[in-house]
Amino acid sequence: MSKKEKFINALKNLKNKRLDVKGSYDKLQSNIPAFVFVSIATFVLMILVACAVFFANIKGSEKVLVPNVQGKKLEDALLELQVKELYPKITLRYSDTTADEGTIMEQSPKAGAIVKGYSRVNLVVSRGAIIDSVGDYVGKTYDEVSMTIQTTFAGMAKAPIKLASPEYIPDQAPAGTILEQDPPAGTSISDPVTVQLIVSRGPTYENTKVPYIIGQSVNDLLQTMSWSKVVFDITTHTASEGETAGTVTGMTKPEDEYVKNYTRIPVEMAMPKGDLNDNEYGIFQTTLANYPFPTNMRLEAIPAEGNAYNVVSFVHPGGNLTVPYAVKHGTTLALYVGDKIVAKKVIN
């Protein structure tokens, strides 16, 4: 073959190749819709698979019935929960008796609830009673022991220790002192126990001399009240001619010079018709409980202007109480029994 023929054949081959490339390009363009469809279908399929996996995970484990473990021992409750493929969350709490220790007091969700497997069940487990024996109360004051027990068992549905109403007897020990207790100290507590206490009333049969108070002013009588062991039941009338306003004009004297402590003595006072020396005169009167033994009290004056001051401090057995006063107009009188205000009066 001549060179000329070879050259012509080469040109023909090149032309054919160009035609093949163009044909492939045309063929590719004709297949684009199919390619796009396949791509979209693949993408949709991937989304469907992902959704199926997601909802399968959301559905979770098989649902189970929560067993009733309340009132059972902790180890038994844990075994029952494990069988149901449930997980416990434990909270400890004091209960009323030592016998409850290690027992399930509460559960959440409640028994019979339907939950997913591997869910958490909250358990409240008893730590037993906060104390497991009766304390030693002899020699302490009744108020101290009562307050301690109330504070210790505050919030408990049923306190393991309860104080019965005390029995008060005369004794040389200070009033309010616990002399005996039943059951004795150290007694184990398995169920709630009631403690009976015998408490000193103080030397109530000690006699005291009745003071002579006729002619005493209000301030003088307040001074006598602060130390005397008799109780003055005071009544008043408006001072008449010949009487000194604001003084004691009469008293009922007992037959004997000496009487039992805190015997009541009727007393009469003459009071001014109106103000006297810019002071209002009168009687602070209230009715208190009858205390088992004489109790510390005080009457405080709170002026409309200025600082509060103590009118009188005294000891009183309760019941009817009368205290004379001479204070400025607008003063508030407050009666304290111990550290607690039990009565008030505004002097207008």
Side-chain angles (χ1 to χ4, degrees), residues 27-229:
K27 186 177 182 180
L28 179 62
Q29 281 188 323
S30 65
N31 291 332
I32 285 177
F35 176 76
V36 171
F37 175 78
V38 171
S39 299
I40 292 174
T42 303
F43 180 72
V44 171
L45 181 61
M46 291 174 61
I47 291 177
L48 292 175
V49 171
C51 289
V53 172
F54 174 77
F55 286 111
N57 289 333
I58 289 296
K59 183 178 179 181
S61 305
E62 181 181 352
K63 291 184 177 180
V64 296
L65 185 72
V66 176
N68 183 14
V69 295
Q70 189 167 334
K72 298 182 179 181
K73 289 296 183 180
L74 177 60
E75 54 268 27
D76 296 330
L78 294 180
L79 288 174
E80 288 195 38
L81 294 178
Q82 185 176 3
V83 169
K84 296 288 187 177
E85 295 183 329
L86 297 172
Y87 291 97
K89 180 182 179 182
I90 297 173
T91 302
L92 299 177
R93 181 189 300 170
Y94 287 110
S95 59
D96 297 338
T97 64
T98 54
D100 290 339
E101 186 173 0
T103 301
I104 308 300
M105 301 170 63
E106 298 175 15
Q107 71 174 81
S108 178
K110 298 291 186 182
I114 304 296
V115 299
K116 298 173 188 174
Y118 306 104
S119 294
R120 177 173 290 172
V121 177
N122 297 305
L123 302 177
V124 178
V125 182
S126 169
R127 298 179 65 175
I130 198 168
I131 59 174
D132 58 4
S133 62
V134 176
D136 186 0
Y137 308 134
V138 174
K140 299 179 180 178
T141 67
Y142 177 78
D143 288 344
E144 174 189 358
V145 171
S146 177
M147 181 60 67
T148 299
I149 288 177
Q150 289 180 31
T151 303
T152 302
F153 305 122
M156 296 182 66
K158 194 173 183 182
I161 294 180
K162 178 183 177 182
L163 297 182
S165 297
E167 177 184 351
Y168 291 94
I169 63 172
D171 192 85
Q172 293 301 313
T177 302
I178 296 172
L179 306 174
E180 300 178 29
Q181 69 178 78
D182 182 40
T187 300
S188 297
I189 300 174
S190 56
D191 293 309
V193 62
T194 299
V195 179
Q196 178 68 54
L197 301 175
I198 296 178
V199 182
S200 170
R201 192 187 292 274
T204 56
Y205 292 102
E206 179 185 350
N207 291 338
T208 189
K209 185 177 181 179
V210 178
Y212 183 77
I213 59 174
I214 292 179
Q216 286 191 354
S217 66
V218 168
N219 286 337
D220 293 335
L221 183 55
L222 291 173
Q223 287 291 326
T224 302
M225 288 180 60
S226 68
W227 58 262
S228 177
K229 291 186 178 180

